[in-house]
Amino acid sequence: MSDSPQTPPGGADRTPPGDLGWQLGMVLRGYQSRFEAAVEGVPSGIRGFQILSTVVHRDPPNQQALGSHLAIDRTVLTYLLDSLVEAGAVERVPAPTDRRARKIEATEHGRVLLAQHEERVAAAEADLLSGLDDSEARTVASLIGRLAMDVHRAQPGTSPCEAMDHLP
């Protein structure tokens, strides 16, 4: 039996080439709108949340490593950190391995702020995945995580924020 002209190569479960980009863009836009609402009140919004989360959960050795991990230009990172310092969420301290470098540490206020907003982000993510059962949601999260790490390894300097700017 051959595929009809409307059936994509590989069968009915396959989407036409190019649809994956549209699908990822729609999911990303849905995630972004929920994420923005969930982090309302965090200085510098999504990027501020990501910085605070990285500082708390990954403990980068210095400001340069923080910027590198998040693919944030050092001049932009400075402004983002200034807003977090001004809000009392983080502080700059001399890096233990190099006194010329600065390490970013979360304050107690920053840890509380992060914990509050992590609950909201978790709820936003659950809302986004609400059309899937628990097993499917875990599978989607696992597969996207693997794909993201593959892309990150292949293109370590790629900024996810810049990718968002170029979505159709």
Side-chain angles (χ1 to χ4, degrees):
M1 181 170 140
S2 68
D3 290 338
S4 69
Q6 292 84 14
T7 303
D13 292 341
R14 302 268 325 235
T15 59
D19 276 7
L20 179 61
W22 179 86
Q23 293 162 349
L24 290 171
M26 291 304 295
V27 170
L28 193 53
R29 285 190 174 131
Y31 183 81
Q32 183 181 22
S33 64
R34 287 168 175 86
F35 196 5
E36 286 173 348
V39 299
E40 187 175 333
V42 174
S44 298
I46 291 173
R47 294 310 262 168
F49 176 86
Q50 290 172 328
I51 289 168
L52 194 52
S53 179
T54 301
V55 166
V56 169
H57 296 297
R58 298 190 184 274
D59 192 29
N62 56 46
Q63 187 170 322
Q64 181 180 0
L66 172 65
S68 178
H69 174 76
L70 293 171
I72 299 175
D73 177 78
R74 64 186 176 130
T75 57
V76 173
L77 181 62
T78 299
Y79 293 113
L80 295 169
L81 288 171
D82 287 346
S83 71
L84 290 165
V85 168
E86 186 177 312
V90 300
E91 58 187 1
R92 292 178 174 103
V93 298
T97 57
D98 181 355
R99 294 288 180 191
R100 296 169 296 172
R102 294 285 171 245
K103 179 172 174 48
I104 307 304
E105 293 185 352
T107 62
E108 184 58 32
H109 169 67
R111 289 179 183 282
V112 169
L113 183 69
L114 178 65
Q116 291 169 342
H117 284 84
E118 280 180 330
E119 288 180 20
R120 295 174 63 182
V121 168
E125 290 174 349
D127 181 59
L128 179 70
L129 298 172
S130 65
L132 306 173
D133 67 36
D134 289 345
S135 174
E136 290 171 327
R138 284 191 302 275
T139 299
V140 165
S142 174
L143 293 173
I144 289 174
R146 285 179 32 206
L147 286 170
M149 289 311 299
D150 287 348
V151 171
H152 182 65
R153 278 189 288 276
Q155 301 170 343
T158 301
S159 169
C161 291
E162 288 176 20
M164 279 296 297
D165 294 340
H166 299 292
L167 283 176

